[in-house]
Structures are given as C-alpha cells and as structure tokens.
C-alpha cells in the first residue's frame, strides 16, 4: 500500500536576505533528477547534488522535498509551455500550427530528454492516486495542453486549413493521449519515426 505524499508549498524566502543561488538553475537540476528517478526514488542527497546546493540552502528555500517537487513541476510546465507556443508560432495557419506542436512533442521524446522523461507524465503515474495536490496540478496541466490544441484546431477551421466537420475538443483529447504516449515511449527508449507519426496524427484533421 502506497503512503500518501505529504503536501506542502514552497516556503517564502525571508525578506531582506538575498538568495545566494539562481532559483531557475537549481530547479532545472531538480527537474532532471525527478524526471529520471521519479519522486519517491529521489533522495534529498541526490536532489541537493542535482541542484548544486547544500542541504541547508535547500531547506532555507523550501520546506521539504515535496515543496521542491512542486516548484520543479511549475518550472517544467512553464518552460515546456513556452516551447510549445514557440513551435506553434512557426505555422502559417491552424493546421500547420498543430503539426508543429506534434513535431515538438516528438523531438522532446527522443534523445537524452526523451530517456529522461516528462515530469507531468511521471507525476500522473506515480503520484496522482496518492497525492491530491499533484493530481489537481497534473489534471489542470493536461486540460491546459488540450485546450491549447483545441484552440489551434478552431483557428484552422476559421482559416479553412482544417475542415469544419472535425470535432475540435474530441480530436484535441485524442492528440493529448498521443503526445503523452510519446513521452512514455521515449522514456522506454523505443525508436520514434517522427515524420510518419505526425503524418498519421494529422489525418485526424482531414
């Protein structure tokens, strides 16, 4: 039987004391180890080494490991969100924007990043059943990603690059299933033929 994860929020940094490290750089290190090992298997020692901080510095900035994880999760989704928006912006119409987003997911599911894994997918599998805080955050992020794709599909329908008969919400949900599956396949180190996979997915918009 799994133990419920203790819920906490990042503690506020005491006023008047300058932080002696770059928070984003430290959290990027935490993201790497959490993605690779998962929440439960990551020790405080591994975490402080990845963040390149002394244990005392971590506890001054965060209440506990769970608080570090929450901050790392928020940092991860912010960075990936910007990458996804940038990928979409390369498209000239809605259909191309969807294609670029799917291609971005394929790219991030390959190589060292693909083997490292995705903190959202990892959280969904490892923590959603036992941690209400993380369940809410994972659910919210998946809904955000789905709404973004649905919005691109509607843009394509407005500019006539995607037929009107395509169900935007249902198709976006199916594409989210695909994109999260890509991260699982990448973590398992199975080969991905990105061009072919995206081509098949784009048939949903025909």
């Amino acid at each position: 039987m799994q133990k419920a994860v203790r819920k906490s929020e990042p503690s506020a940094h005491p006023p008047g004391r300058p932080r002696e490290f770059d928070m984003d750089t430290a959290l990027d290190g935490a993201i790497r180890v959490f993605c690779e090992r998962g929440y439960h298997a990551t020790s405080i020692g591994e975490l402080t080494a990845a963040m390149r901080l002394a244990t005392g510095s971590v506890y001054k900035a965060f209440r506990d490991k769970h608080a570090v994880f929450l901050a790392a999760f928020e940092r991860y989704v912010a960075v990936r969100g910007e990458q996804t928006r940038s990928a979409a912006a390369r498209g000239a119409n809605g259909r191309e924007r969807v294609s670029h987003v799917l291609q971005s997911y394929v790219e991030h599911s390959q190589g060292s990043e693909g083997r490292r894994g995705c903190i959202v997918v990892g959280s969904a599998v490892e923590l959603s059943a036992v941690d209400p805080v993380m369940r809410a955050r994972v659910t919210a992020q998946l809904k955000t990603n789905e709404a973004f794709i649905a919005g691109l599909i509607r843009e394509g329908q407005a500019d006539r690059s995607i037929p009107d008969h395509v169900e935007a919400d249902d198709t976006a949900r199916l594409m989210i299933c695909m994109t999260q599956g890509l991260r699982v396949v990448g973590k398992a180190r199975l080969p991905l033929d990105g061009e072919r996979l995206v081509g098949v997915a784009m048939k949903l918009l025909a």
Side-chain angles (χ1 to χ4, degrees):
M1 179 174 163
Q2 289 179 295
K3 294 182 180 179
V5 179
R6 187 157 56 113
K7 277 71 70 179
S8 56
E9 296 290 342
S11 59
H13 190 69
R17 294 183 58 189
R19 185 175 283 125
E20 299 176 353
F21 60 91
D22 181 79
M23 179 62 77
D24 287 345
T25 300
L27 289 176
D28 287 343
I31 288 167
R32 285 192 294 273
V33 71
F34 279 133
C35 284
E36 289 170 356
R37 297 184 57 78
Y39 177 81
H40 291 293
T42 298
S43 69
I44 288 293
E46 290 165 330
L47 197 54
T48 56
M51 298 173 79
R52 297 185 178 181
L53 296 175
T55 302
S57 296
V58 173
Y59 283 119
K60 284 179 183 178
F62 304 96
R63 186 173 295 112
D64 52 24
K65 185 175 81 168
H66 192 267
V68 179
F69 188 79
L70 290 177
F73 184 93
E74 294 304 319
R75 165 72 176 164
Y76 179 89
V77 298
V79 171
R80 281 293 294 126
E82 180 56 36
Q83 291 170 337
T84 301
R85 289 189 293 272
S86 295
R90 295 197 294 269
N93 55 44
R95 184 181 185 83
E96 288 185 8
R97 292 180 195 116
V98 172
S99 178
H100 282 299
V101 166
L102 296 178
Q103 290 169 23
S104 174
Y105 271 98
V106 172
E107 291 167 7
H108 288 280
S109 300
Q110 299 185 93
S112 59
E113 184 177 357
R115 292 190 296 273
R116 186 178 304 125
C118 169
I119 201 170
V120 177
V121 173
S123 298
V125 173
E126 183 181 13
L127 298 176
S128 286
V130 295
D131 186 337
V133 173
M134 287 312 305
R135 180 167 62 247
R137 296 200 180 196
V138 168
T139 298
Q141 187 56 43
L142 292 177
K143 286 183 176 178
T144 295
N145 295 348
E146 183 179 314
F148 182 71
I149 293 176
L152 296 180
I153 293 172
R154 291 191 174 94
E155 288 178 19
Q157 290 172 328
D159 64 34
R160 314 310 299 169
S161 62
I162 296 174
D164 288 336
H165 67 78
V166 173
E167 293 288 344
D169 293 332
D170 291 344
T171 304
R173 174 65 59 88
L174 187 55
M175 286 186 169
I176 284 296
C177 293
M178 173 193 167
T179 57
Q180 302 314 294
L182 284 171
R183 300 313 305 265
V184 174
V185 170
K187 180 76 171 178
R189 305 190 179 194
L190 296 178
L192 294 170
D193 187 332
E195 185 174 347
R196 289 182 62 187
L197 289 173
V198 172
V200 171
M202 293 301 292
K203 292 180 180 179
L204 295 169
L205 305 181

